[in-house]
Amino acid sequence: MSLLEAKVSIVTGASTGIGRRTALDFAAAGARVALADIAVEAGEELAQEIIRLGGAAVFIKTDVSKTEDVARLVDLVVGHFGKLDCAFNNAGIAPRGAAIADMGEADWDRTIAINLKGVWACLKYECAQMMRQGHGGAIVNTSSTMGVVSGPGLAAYSASKFGVIGLTKAVAIDYARSGIRVNAVCPGGIGETAITSAPENQQDMDQLAQMTPMGHLGKPRNISEAVIWLCSDKSDFITGQALSIDGGFTSW
Ligand SMILES: NC(=O)c1ccc[n+]([C@@H]2O[C@H](COP(=O)([O-])OP(=O)(O)OC[C@H]3O[C@@H](n4cnc5c(N)ncnc54)[C@H](O)[C@@H]3O)[C@@H](O)[C@H]2O)c1
């Protein structure tokens, strides 16, 4: 049996990069997938691609920084697929960094609103739905190696990603006895995503590859395979953990 057979899942930030790969791999593992993103065209194309490949998918336009969008997302998923079993709360941005004295308040607010409050909103409505159903669930949040250690110009990004790990642990404890497991993944430098392929980030990415003990960046499938396992019953005694998937980066 496939690892996510008959499960219904949400993937946020599904239109590109790590989210896109995970949505495709969730569907291949047997899940019905709700794709949530602000990028409509790419998200709708991905839903069609999953359906063409024999899977079940629906795209639901969602801005995770808007709590009402997230509440609506969970309602629509349950309306469409009848339940919610797992979620990958992955939408995030990585704005060009500046030291804190030079950082505008708007950059701070936007980063926290999407990367941290967005995960808070997803957890809130996903856990509420899983509690109504009464048979547990599995949720994975995307943090970062920059949620474990930090780097230059990353005050807002790093604060948001450290926050995701704190949220993960707190919510895991609150719902552990209800069978809802909550974990985080902490990707290191992952190539083939919109963030890492942007020409202005190339120098940083080359440097990151050199700083990685394995000497190269990861691929989106390195993350999706761990997320599938964490959402599956194979990891049913694991909750509140932050798994670094980083070629050894945080082991220095
Ligand atoms: N690529 C890396 O090296 C790396 C490393 C560590 C952590 N991450 C994290 O992984 C996650 C995915 O990033 P990625 O590398 O695949 O980048 P990406 O830019 O390819 O994907 C991010 C997705 O999130 C969507 N998104 C942005 N704002 C949104 C919002 N308000 N509401 C809904 N969707 C929104 C984007 O449209 C995009 O589809 C992010 O949380 C990022 O911080 C990435």
Side-chain angles (χ1 to χ4, degrees):
M1 192 162 111
S2 303
L3 280 185
L4 301 182
E5 199 67 52
K7 305 239 191 228
V8 172
S9 70
I10 288 173
V11 176
T12 75
S15 294
T16 61
I18 293 167
R20 181 178 195 281
R21 183 70 263 157
T22 305
L24 283 160
D25 291 349
F26 267 24
R32 288 170 277 167
V33 196
L35 315 170
D37 205 297
I38 46 172
V40 175
E41 203 177 318
E44 282 176 345
E45 276 173 17
L46 178 60
Q48 289 313 311
E49 185 176 341
I50 289 173
I51 292 165
R52 265 198 310 278
L53 291 167
V58 61
F59 175 76
I60 299 168
K61 184 182 176 201
T62 309
D63 181 341
V64 296
S65 69
K66 295 185 177 151
T67 307
E68 64 276 16
D69 270 26
V70 176
R72 177 177 162 273
L73 166 68
V74 173
D75 280 351
L76 288 176
V77 171
V78 175
H80 195 80
F81 290 129
K83 60 172 183 163
L84 177 67
D85 301 301
C86 38
F88 181 36
N89 300 323
N90 162 74
I93 56 167
R96 187 105 197 115
I100 200 157
D102 305 318
M103 183 196 292
E105 188 174 348
D107 286 343
W108 168 267
D109 284 347
R110 184 160 172 269
T111 307
I112 298 298
I114 296 171
N115 290 8
L116 183 56
K117 190 178 168 207
V119 175
W120 167 82
C122 288
L123 285 165
K124 177 175 170 60
Y125 289 99
E126 291 158 0
C127 287
Q129 176 58 31
M130 288 172 180
M131 288 301 285
R132 278 193 288 279
Q133 293 169 187
H135 53 76
I139 301 173
V140 179
N141 303 315
T142 302
S143 175
S144 167
T145 48
M146 296 300 119
V148 180
V149 294
S150 197
L154 289 176
Y157 185 73
S158 222
S160 73
K161 295 298 188 178
F162 269 75
V164 167
I165 294 178
L167 254 178
T168 300
K169 290 184 183 292
V171 178
I173 290 167
D174 286 340
Y175 290 94
R177 298 228 170 175
S178 304
I180 302 172
R181 297 183 300 106
V182 188
N183 291 292
V185 286
C186 304
I190 303 297
E192 302 170 14
T193 75
I195 291 175
T196 51
S197 307
E200 67 273 20
N201 291 336
Q202 270 333 289
Q203 208 181 336
D204 289 352
M205 288 302 120
D206 291 346
Q207 208 181 355
L208 192 54
Q210 287 316 312
M211 287 165 68
T212 300
M214 284 189 173
H216 60 84
L217 299 180
K219 294 185 186 324
R221 72 159 184 80
N222 296 131
I223 309 304
S224 70
E225 285 173 8
V227 176
I228 287 174
W229 180 72
L230 285 170
C231 283
S232 78
D233 298 339
K234 297 276 186 200
S235 59
D236 60 4
F237 197 49
I238 298 180
T239 197
Q241 298 307 301
L243 176 63
S244 291
I245 305 164
D246 64 357
F249 185 85
T250 46
S251 297
W252 281 120

